[in-house]
Amino acid sequence: MGKYEVDIEEIEYLNHNGKPLIARVFKPRGKGPFPAVIDAHGGAWCEGTRMNNETINRPVAEGGVVVAALDFRNPPDATYPGSVADINYGVRWLKSQAARFNSRADMVGSMGTSSGGHLVVLAAMKPNDPRYAAIPMPSAPNIDARVPFVVTLWPVICPIGRYRTHVKFPVSDPAYKNVGGPAVRQVSYWLTEAAMIEGSANLILQRGEKVDLPNILYTQNPEDALHPGQYMEEFVSGYRKAGGKLQLELFEGEPYDLVRSKPETETAKQVIAKIIAYIHQQTEKQAKAA
């Protein structure tokens, strides 16, 4: 698979009370049709912007994938489920604009890191939840937020599990040293433990709720203390038990997010190559059928 030249376009995809939300779209040059993904950044559900995952999004786009990195509401602009609603809308928006980017609506998936990795899984499992799909799109009312695949990188797959684990066993992370650590910071988004329980992709499966089960590529460092491995294992097992297809790719090395923070390493390059290959595998059947 060749390496594509990439153009970048910044587009207002949504607006809340006069405050625009921007999609940073990485567009491979070529006729396509290219697979496409929205990208959701991390930041304990409270920080971050569309620029966070630049070192992931650009090489994925160079692999022939349209990537729309989204800004979405964080506290104080919105608490749960505001960002899920923005992401749901972002998926619908990218589907509606797919032809513009030499893609197709049926080739649109989602991708995210850390808390953003959780958000894209949650949004994909419950695309028609009335709270998540609450923002209307008058220009394309018949488009829904279903996706055929999700790429999730070190997701906080169980918010309540991570919260309780870190309250009991605090984890030091420079990004959260001034706000009491990641567990304390995430309360600004979730507000209550009940909300964390309700919005846990892991516990949704354990409760046996009816959900969509798109194919998932799940990648994480098993030694990552910021994203406890027991919840990864529970989710992977539960997803497969529910009938979902999930490909687990583990990687080693420091720091836990080296795919983003040390893109020059061989490990990071290998993970990016697996992401690109996975996305193309998920969409090649649709492309051939077109």
Side-chain angles (χ1 to χ4, degrees):
M1 190 176 300
K3 186 173 182 178
Y4 291 83
E5 294 293 322
V6 173
D7 296 313
I8 297 177
E9 183 177 1
E10 299 238 306
I11 305 168
E12 179 181 320
Y13 78 95
L14 183 57
N15 190 297
H16 289 289
N17 301 316
K19 186 173 182 177
L21 292 178
I22 305 301
R24 182 172 174 84
V25 184
F26 297 76
K27 305 177 294 181
R29 294 180 188 173
K31 295 182 179 180
F34 296 111
V37 294
I38 63 101
D39 167 70
H41 62 79
W45 298 278
C46 294
E47 281 104 14
T49 73
R50 64 190 182 278
M51 305 300 294
N52 277 36
N53 293 334
E54 191 91 357
T55 52
I56 296 173
N57 295 335
R58 181 178 287 275
V60 169
E62 290 173 347
V65 179
V66 176
V67 180
L70 304 181
D71 279 343
F72 45 84
R73 288 172 295 169
N74 295 323
D77 293 333
T79 56
Y80 174 76
S83 59
V84 196
D86 292 343
I87 288 168
N88 179 293
Y89 185 94
V91 171
R92 289 181 279 138
W93 172 82
L94 185 55
K95 284 185 173 184
S96 74
Q97 300 295 308
R100 171 182 176 181
F101 304 126
N102 296 328
S103 183
R104 291 209 319 266
D106 62 331
M107 299 174 73
V108 172
S110 55
M111 178 171 72
T113 57
S114 194
S115 56
H118 160 265
L119 290 172
V120 292
V121 171
L122 180 60
M125 289 172 63
K126 295 185 137 188
N128 294 320
D129 185 299
R131 300 163 304 161
Y132 304 164
I135 305 172
M137 183 181 288
S139 62
N142 295 322
I143 293 180
D144 64 26
R146 285 191 171 91
V147 292
F149 67 91
V150 177
V151 176
T152 186
L153 295 87
W154 52 93
V156 191
I157 205 66
C158 185
I160 186 64
R162 201 272 282 272
Y163 174 72
R164 289 176 175 171
T165 297
H166 285 183
V167 166
K168 189 174 182 179
F169 305 105
V171 174
S172 176
D173 186 274
Y176 305 106
K177 65 180 181 180
N178 295 323
V179 291
V184 172
R185 187 66 180 116
Q186 76 178 59
V187 174
S188 298
Y189 175 74
W190 292 100
L191 302 182
T192 68
E193 290 194 15
M196 297 182 207
I197 292 169
E198 187 274 321
S200 167
N202 185 39
L203 296 182
I204 284 170
L205 292 174
Q206 294 183 19
R207 292 192 293 265
E209 295 182 27
K210 185 178 180 180
V211 294
D212 279 21
L213 295 169
N215 295 344
I216 293 180
L217 173 64
Y218 193 127
T219 183
Q220 183 169 322
N221 186 329
E223 300 301 318
D224 179 357
L226 200 60
H227 306 86
Q230 81 175 81
Y231 305 113
M232 173 186 71
E233 294 170 0
E234 289 177 4
F235 179 81
V236 169
S237 176
Y239 203 79
R240 290 170 174 168
K241 185 177 180 181
K245 294 181 179 180
L246 186 151
Q247 178 178 327
L248 179 62
E249 294 287 349
L250 302 178
F251 63 88
E252 298 179 349
E254 295 291 342
Y256 73 91
D257 67 341
L258 64 80
V259 178
R260 179 183 61 199
S261 59
K262 292 188 175 181
E264 73 282 359
T265 62
E266 284 305 310
T267 296
K269 292 176 182 177
Q270 290 169 9
V271 174
I272 292 295
K274 289 177 180 179
I275 291 171
I276 293 168
Y278 182 84
I279 292 172
H280 281 283
Q281 289 167 4
Q282 296 305 306
T283 56
E284 61 184 8
K285 290 183 180 179
Q286 292 98 316
K288 290 178 181 177

